[in-house]
Amino acid sequence: YIGKALPSMGTRVSISVMVIKGGKILDLSGAKIFWYIDEKLISRGGEPTVAFTVTKRGGDSHFVRVIVESKDGKFENSTRVPVVKPLLAVGIPYPNNTVPQNSELRLKALPFFFNVSSLTDLRFSWEVGEEKITSVSENELIVRVGTPLSELQRNLLLVASAENIRNPGEVGKEIVRLKIQ
């Protein structure tokens, strides 16, 4: 899905190697290719692509190192694959989260970096003020805003969360404070 650009814990990642020497891509058929993830050897065949499952939590990274031994020489390189935490963003179409009184707001929760293939794999829940609103796979919410009778009623707290149905520990949450004018 669109919000799955970076890996989170449990994501399957594929990495490939290509060697360029003298401006030309080398033929790696027959080469020995050694893949290391966090300094642990995971493959020693001739495959230029390796896959692994992310086992670290968001904020950490996996260190990937590859060594290629071919008829053209020995080449080594490494990279880090960052791991991110699931994130939920709520699109508020009003500057400074200031909404007009007596209006209807259409809000959308946008999940990023969840280890799912579809929005239907997420359970969304909402809180508006102190009222809990739950539904399965509904990332949109309509909120009707009235006329505040006091200064206290001009502030509306909104909490959106999403949970991976298959992995309940994978949760994203956003808290938004709306100001009613």
Side-chain angles (χ1 to χ4, degrees):
Y1 68 97
I2 197 164
K4 186 64 174 138
L6 294 172
S8 56
M9 193 162 87
T11 301
R12 189 93 172 133
V13 175
S14 294
I15 297 180
S16 296
V17 66
M18 166 190 320
V19 179
I20 301 174
K21 184 176 180 183
K24 295 188 180 191
I25 298 173
L26 298 182
D27 178 10
L28 297 182
S29 57
K32 291 181 182 176
I33 302 174
F34 302 87
W35 288 99
Y36 297 84
I37 305 295
D38 299 321
E39 294 304 331
K40 180 181 175 189
L41 179 66
I42 65 163
S43 175
R44 67 170 100 214
E47 292 299 317
T49 300
V50 70
F52 70 98
T53 301
V54 172
T55 58
K56 295 191 175 183
R57 297 202 178 278
D60 206 343
S61 64
H62 282 288
F63 180 70
V64 179
R65 185 165 60 103
V66 63
I67 299 171
V68 177
E69 295 176 356
S70 75
K71 63 183 185 307
D72 297 300
K74 182 177 180 180
F75 308 92
E76 181 174 344
N77 208 338
S78 62
T79 190
R80 289 205 169 271
V81 176
V83 181
V84 294
K85 296 176 185 175
L87 172 74
L88 191 66
V90 177
I92 307 290
Y94 297 97
N96 302 319
N97 293 354
T98 302
V99 299
Q101 59 186 357
N102 297 319
S103 62
E104 183 177 274
L105 309 176
R106 291 187 179 273
L107 306 175
K108 192 170 201 172
L110 306 168
F112 293 92
F113 317 126
F114 281 83
N115 195 28
V116 297
S117 58
S118 167
L119 284 177
T120 59
D121 295 332
L122 296 174
R123 179 178 299 116
F124 292 90
S125 63
W126 298 83
E127 289 180 40
V128 178
E130 294 187 19
E131 180 183 352
K132 290 187 179 192
I133 303 164
T134 59
S135 60
V136 176
S137 72
E138 284 296 327
N139 68 326
E140 294 182 331
L141 179 69
I142 297 174
V143 178
R144 288 175 182 77
V145 177
T147 303
L149 300 175
S150 68
E151 191 59 35
L152 185 62
Q153 289 180 343
R154 289 194 181 280
N155 294 302
L156 182 61
L157 190 66
L158 177 79
V159 179
S161 62
E163 177 182 48
N164 183 338
I165 293 170
R166 293 186 180 93
N167 181 6
E170 192 174 67
V171 176
K173 184 177 188 179
E174 182 169 33
I175 301 171
V176 177
R177 191 172 305 276
L178 300 176
K179 179 78 173 170
I180 303 168
Q181 290 280 86

